[in-house]
Amino acid sequence: MAFNEEYDIEQDFTDTTKPNYDMIHTRVGPQLAAWKELLSEDVEANAPVPSATTRTKRKADTSVDEANMRDMYNDGKTSKVHSHPSIVGAVDTEFGSSKLTVAQLKSFCRAKALSIAGVKADLLARVDEWLEQHG
């Protein structure tokens, strides 16, 4: 036994760490009943609470249709990528930089069954190539 103390098993054991729920209910019961009544009358308190799984942020619109993409291409707003080995990936300033996001370019490539692998310059090259072929 711990500390070599004598312990009488026959004696009643009372757990003093267990809360006395009867005493708590006696002291707080009337306040809880009044609070419950106030909550039942309050309209805002009865409103459903959104669960943690509900998304509160909306997703960005990544849809770009072919007509919009072709207009941008014709206006020079999609970037042409140089094919010269020394400046691969450089953007041609004649056409300006692209205002399209990678998500929009990938969305367009998926719709046209093009590969979505690579960086933005690769995606722009694929879109430009597809628009030239189907122009």
Side-chain angles (χ1 to χ4, degrees):
M1 300 233 109
F3 304 113
N4 202 13
E5 293 181 14
E6 290 187 28
Y7 179 71
D8 187 14
I9 298 176
E10 299 293 325
Q11 204 174 33
D12 288 333
F13 177 74
T14 307
D15 185 5
T16 58
T17 61
K18 184 178 176 186
N20 187 347
Y21 292 113
D22 292 333
M23 181 60 72
I24 293 171
H25 182 66
T26 303
R27 289 183 181 174
V28 184
Q31 287 94 359
L32 284 175
W35 186 46
K36 183 177 179 182
E37 185 178 326
L38 287 173
L39 283 177
S40 66
E41 295 170 1
D42 190 5
V43 176
E44 290 180 13
N46 294 322
V49 177
S51 65
T53 58
T54 305
R55 292 184 180 203
T56 55
K57 283 181 116 177
R58 59 187 175 127
K59 290 196 170 207
D61 182 23
T62 60
S63 60
V64 178
D65 62 353
E66 186 178 340
N68 289 345
M69 190 68 77
R70 191 163 299 283
D71 288 342
M72 287 182 187
Y73 177 76
N74 291 336
D75 292 342
K77 291 186 180 176
T78 61
S79 300
K80 295 275 188 169
V81 179
H82 290 285
S83 59
H84 192 275
S86 65
I87 50 175
V88 171
V91 177
D92 191 345
T93 56
E94 176 185 345
F95 294 100
S97 63
S98 175
K99 299 288 183 182
L100 297 169
T101 65
V102 172
Q104 289 173 321
L105 291 167
K106 284 185 176 185
S107 175
F108 183 80
C109 287
R110 277 189 200 103
K112 304 303 176 193
L114 300 172
S115 172
I116 60 168
V119 294
K120 187 174 184 176
D122 297 338
L123 296 171
L124 284 168
R126 278 189 214 107
V127 169
D128 287 342
E129 183 181 329
W130 189 90
L131 289 170
E132 285 175 11
Q133 291 175 355
H134 296 88

